[in-house]
Amino acid sequence: AQSVAQPEDQVNVAEGNPLTVKCTYSVSGNPYLFWYVQYPNRGLQFLLKYITGDNLVKGSYGFEAEFNKSQTSFHLKKPSALVSDSALYFCAVRDILGSSNTGKLIFGQGTTLQVKP
Amino acid sequence: GAVVSQHPSWVICKSGTSVKIECRSLDFQATTMFWYRQFPKQSLMLMATSNEGSKATYEQGVEKDKFLINHASLTLSTLTVTSAHPEDSSFYICSARDPGGARTDTQYFGPGTRLTVL
């Protein structure tokens, strides 16, 4: 079965320090991986995606993620955290087993990032 | 680019009434849209996949007669919660899949609609 796991419910980091939000996946074949961010009472904002190519993907707001096939991971990173980065982060993988190929996503449970001044 | 809007952003209704939520892709055509439900501090639960010009595909456990979905054009999908009850109170989020170009395979999300049923 396809799945995405975000092992940490919450990550706390001091402003200016590097941050990592972890994500591991389980899929058949090559994964399409995504990171989204959600601010309170808002929809999800697309940060970045990996489909093919360079394992290090750069996205919006200074975020990047590294695709690691051997560890089946796609951790989200940022070199220097900002207080404004505090939000709920979701990792997702495209469901490639569905017969209709609609691009349905399977989401992780989400990780709350708290950046303290 | 890749903007998705939802209307209304919040709605309060009485039990037994119906509520319609609109989802629009503003700068691209979306053959596929998705409807999610989200409970506080939880992940998104996919309710249904909305395909332009055809019937929606509902996830297991979602009542199709209660949550009516219509995808009348390439830029508009609607979700109607019929005979709403307090347990239907939730945050409903739609997304639209951009099928072309560099944004291929990416879902873009609307800002969400907070439904409160009294």
Side-chain angles (χ1 to χ4, degrees):
Chain A
Q2 300 179 111
S3 64
V4 176
Q6 293 179 241
E8 302 155 316
D9 289 337
Q10 182 159 328
V11 170
N12 298 310
V13 65
E15 187 174 33
N17 284 0
L19 69 88
T20 298
V21 183
K22 296 180 179 178
C23 172
T24 58
Y25 65 89
S26 175
V27 298
S28 301
N30 296 320
Y32 288 20
L33 295 158
F34 302 81
W35 274 102
Y36 289 86
V37 60
Q38 184 180 32
Y39 295 96
N41 297 309
R42 302 296 302 274
L44 276 65
Q45 294 180 31
F46 170 72
L47 283 178
L48 50 81
K49 68 181 178 184
Y50 171 83
I51 294 179
T52 187
D54 195 346
N55 289 345
L56 183 63
V57 179
K58 293 188 182 296
S60 304
Y61 313 119
F63 284 93
E64 59 188 28
E66 185 167 11
F67 171 64
N68 188 316
K69 189 172 183 178
S70 64
Q71 297 184 6
T72 61
S73 67
F74 190 56
H75 301 332
L76 180 70
K77 299 182 180 183
K78 187 173 182 179
S80 179
L82 299 173
V83 173
S84 57
D85 292 329
S86 299
L88 182 58
Y89 290 80
F90 290 101
C91 180
V93 64
R94 179 177 167 183
D95 180 0
I96 60 174
L97 294 182
S99 60
S100 60
N101 191 27
T102 59
K104 187 167 70 172
L105 294 176
I106 300 169
F107 284 90
Q109 64 267 43
T111 299
T112 299
L113 173 65
Q114 187 72 42
V115 182
K116 296 185 178 179
Chain B
V3 179
V4 176
S5 69
Q6 263 184 260
H7 178 80
S9 56
W10 59 270
V11 58
I12 301 173
C13 69
K14 292 182 179 180
S15 185
T17 61
S18 295
V19 174
K20 179 184 284 188
I21 302 170
E22 293 186 348
C23 177
R24 294 180 185 271
S25 56
L26 299 185
D27 56 354
F28 65 98
Q29 295 183 328
T31 53
T32 306
M33 291 184 173
F34 303 86
W35 287 96
Y36 297 85
R37 185 172 178 177
Q38 186 180 32
F39 293 99
K41 298 185 179 181
Q42 293 190 23
S43 189
L44 282 72
M45 182 190 80
L46 179 64
M47 300 173 65
T49 302
S50 171
N51 301 297
E52 188 269 336
S54 64
K55 292 183 178 180
T57 303
Y58 290 82
E59 295 298 303
Q60 193 171 10
V62 178
E63 299 176 60
K64 60 181 67 176
D65 294 331
K66 180 168 186 61
F67 298 99
L68 299 178
I69 292 172
N70 182 272
H71 195 150
S73 75
L74 288 172
T75 59
L76 174 64
S77 176
T78 60
L79 168 69
T80 301
V81 183
T82 62
S83 186
H85 291 284
E87 57 265 30
D88 299 323
S89 298
S90 190
F91 193 53
Y92 292 88
I93 309 175
C94 73
S95 71
R97 179 189 175 199
D98 188 338
R103 305 197 300 226
T104 298
D105 289 315
T106 300
Q107 285 187 35
Y108 294 92
F109 287 78
T113 297
R114 174 73 60 190
L115 171 63
T116 301
V117 184
L118 302 177

